[in-house]
């Protein structure tokens, strides 16, 4: 019976349904646990879901490469999802007009430094070129960052892990520094959340207010486009 | 049906972006090129259709789900980066702290500057 059970997973993992089912299941489980433990800022649902999913894959007789092969059916949607980010960008055009000068001055400096700080620190501590290329797009939203890392010759799994941690700590640092500096303007807080913490920061910004959320989407979108255009050019020099 | 129509538009823009990337050898992903074309098209049109808005909201709200297969990989490729973890952790923590600080200070200073301009004079 155990043997048959093992070969069952083997057979089921031939198609994409098992991988998709596991991913969806972990996604909802992560959200459920998150609500259950009182929505802590430092442990967002995506981290919970990723840990749950990894544990499940490790326990099942299913190796990661097989899982990833099946889950590609989901990953394919990242392309159209990136295009979809153009819609909120358009919808928030009136926000850009109101604050276009500070945004236009801050964006190139802050988005460049977000990559430069990380790469310089990692380089000083002896990281390999592959690791540097995986860390460079750490403040860029995932669908765009995947393209960047692939072009720079980095590791996509490492980049994704770094991306997630960046999103979480950016959220914590914005909260901390908003009190210390102090910054009360929701537009500035939102913009900083989206620029540094991409989707995770944007989710947090929508909890602060709708304005903060709009500015976070804007910061996330602009940082994505700017970094995607600049980083591959700079890295090849 | 309307949502699928919106999805078709997104896929078409993505394919168009990919075509641009391959034809002109642009070092930017097809998704980003598609997104730029999408924003420019909407700015010319002046409005977003209902199906397109629904489809994009749907996809953006499951972005986290779509990145999960990739995120999970970090747990299974960890051995590959032995001896690099201090560098990675410091880069992510200190680097993000510095970039958040930079963004907040710069924005605060610039917004105050522009606020005092035409508004108060």
């Amino acid at each position: 019976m155990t043997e048959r059970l093992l070969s069952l997973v083997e057979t089921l993992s031939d198609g994409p349904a098992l991988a998709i089912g596991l991913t969806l299941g972990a996604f909802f489980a992560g959200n459920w646990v998150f609500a259950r433990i009182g929505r802590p800022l430092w442990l967002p649902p995506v981290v919970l879901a990723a840990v749950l999913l990894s544990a499940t894959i490790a326990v099942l007789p299913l190796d990661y490469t097989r899982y990833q092969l099946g889950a590609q059916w989901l990953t394919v949607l990242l392309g159209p999802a990136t295009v979809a980010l153009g819609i909120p960008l358009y919808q928030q055009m009136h926000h850009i007009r109101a604050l276009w000068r500070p945004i236009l001055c801050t964006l190139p400096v802050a988005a460049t430094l977000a990559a430069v700080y990380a790469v310089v620190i990692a380089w000083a501590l002896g990281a390999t070129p592959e690791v540097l290329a995986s860390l460079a797009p750490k403040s860029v939203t995932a669908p765009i960052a995947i393209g960047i890392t692939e072009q720079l010759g980095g590791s996509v799994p490492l980049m994704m892990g770094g991306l997630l941690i960046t999103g979480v700590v950016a959220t914590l640092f914005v909260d901390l520094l908003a009190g210390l500096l102090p910054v009360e303007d929701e537009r500035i807080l939102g913009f900083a959340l989206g620029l540094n913490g991409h989707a995770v920061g944007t989710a947090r910004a929508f909890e602060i207010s709708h304005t903060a959320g709009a500015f976070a989407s804007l910061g996330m979108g602009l940082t994505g486009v700017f970094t995607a255009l600049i980083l591959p050019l700079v890295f090849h020099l | 049906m309307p949502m699928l129509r919106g999805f078709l538009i997104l896929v078409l823009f993505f394919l168009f972006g990919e075509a641009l990337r391959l034809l002109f050898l642009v070092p930017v992903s097809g998704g980003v090129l598609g997104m730029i074309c999408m924003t420019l098209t909407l700015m010319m049109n002046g409005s977003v259709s209902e199906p397109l808005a629904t489809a994009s909201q749907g996809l953006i709200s499951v972005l986290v789900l779509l990145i999960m297969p990739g995120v999970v990989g970090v747990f299974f490729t960890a051995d590959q980066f032995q001896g690099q973890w201090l560098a990675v952790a410091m880069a992510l923590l200190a680097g993000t702290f510095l970039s958040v600080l930079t963004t907040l200070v710069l924005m605060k200073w610039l917004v105050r500057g522009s606020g005092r301009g035409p508004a108060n004079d």
Side-chain angles (χ1 to χ4, degrees):
Chain A
M1 188 61 191
T2 355
E3 233 169 71
R4 237 181 293 164
L5 212 62
L6 287 177
S7 71
L8 181 68
V9 175
E10 189 78 3
T11 317
L12 287 180
S13 66
D14 274 342
L18 181 66
I20 293 173
L22 287 174
T23 316
L24 276 167
F27 175 70
F28 283 109
N31 280 312
W32 182 79
V33 174
F34 180 67
R36 263 327 190 57
I37 56 176
R39 308 184 166 269
L41 204 56
W42 53 274
L43 195 60
V46 55
V47 177
L48 291 164
V51 171
L52 279 171
L53 183 58
S54 311
T56 315
I57 296 170
V59 166
L60 287 177
L62 165 74
D63 60 74
Y64 174 65
T65 0
R66 287 285 282 283
Y67 161 76
Q68 206 188 19
L69 212 65
Q72 265 180 4
W73 289 79
L74 280 178
T75 323
V76 162
L77 290 174
L78 276 174
T82 314
V83 177
L85 291 171
I87 286 121
L89 206 60
Y90 159 76
Q91 286 169 333
Q92 277 131 34
M93 248 349 143
H94 61 286
H95 284 306
I96 308 184
R97 243 170 258 145
L99 269 189
W100 68 273
R101 215 188 290 262
I103 288 172
L104 222 63
C105 297
T106 307
L107 177 82
V109 181
T112 308
L113 285 176
V116 168
Y117 287 139
V119 169
V120 168
I121 292 170
W123 174 78
L125 291 171
T128 59
E130 190 193 10
V131 170
L132 296 183
S134 317
L135 291 176
K138 74 176 185 63
S139 280
V140 178
T141 183
I144 301 179
I146 289 175
I148 297 177
T149 284
E150 277 173 351
Q151 264 156 17
L152 302 184
S155 146
V156 173
L158 180 62
M159 180 278 290
M160 292 291 243
L163 211 66
L164 188 61
I165 294 167
T166 302
V168 176
V169 296
T171 308
L172 294 172
F173 289 147
V174 168
D175 257 45
L176 177 77
L177 290 169
L180 289 176
L181 282 171
V183 180
E184 280 136 30
D185 193 330
E186 283 170 1
R187 299 173 302 177
I188 300 180
L189 293 179
F191 191 68
L193 280 167
L195 192 151
N196 296 289
H198 47 83
V200 183
T202 304
R204 164 67 189 149
F206 272 110
E207 283 173 20
I208 299 176
S209 74
H210 224 79
T211 314
F215 269 77
S217 324
L218 178 67
M220 175 172 79
L222 290 178
T223 305
V225 176
F226 178 81
T227 315
L229 293 172
I230 296 301
L231 214 50
L233 296 175
V234 175
F235 227 77
H236 283 296
L237 294 180
Chain B
M1 271 299 268
M3 187 170 163
L4 279 182
R5 198 174 304 159
F7 184 66
L8 173 63
I9 300 172
L10 293 175
V11 171
L12 287 177
F13 269 86
F14 172 65
L15 291 173
F16 182 65
E18 281 285 290
L20 284 180
R21 181 178 70 87
L22 294 168
L23 286 176
F24 300 100
L25 301 171
V26 200
V28 177
S29 75
V32 175
L33 291 174
M35 173 174 94
I36 296 170
C37 294
M38 174 61 86
T39 310
L40 293 176
T41 309
L42 290 174
M43 283 169 79
M44 285 193 293
N45 275 357
S47 72
V48 185
S49 72
E50 197 59 39
L52 190 56
T54 318
S56 76
Q57 265 162 24
L59 267 183
I60 292 172
S61 67
V62 296
L63 254 179
V64 163
L65 172 75
L66 303 182
I67 65 169
M68 266 181 37
V71 168
V72 166
V74 78
F75 293 105
F76 297 95
T77 49
D79 304 344
Q80 216 181 310
F81 303 102
Q82 261 175 4
Q84 310 257 340
W85 291 112
L86 177 72
V88 171
M90 285 311 289
L92 293 176
L93 291 176
T96 306
F97 180 81
L98 288 174
S99 72
V100 167
L101 185 67
T102 308
T103 316
L104 286 176
V105 169
L106 211 59
M107 273 302 270
K108 190 185 174 179
W109 179 62
L110 288 166
V111 167
R112 192 192 287 157
S114 71
R116 273 186 192 155
N120 291 355
D121 291 329

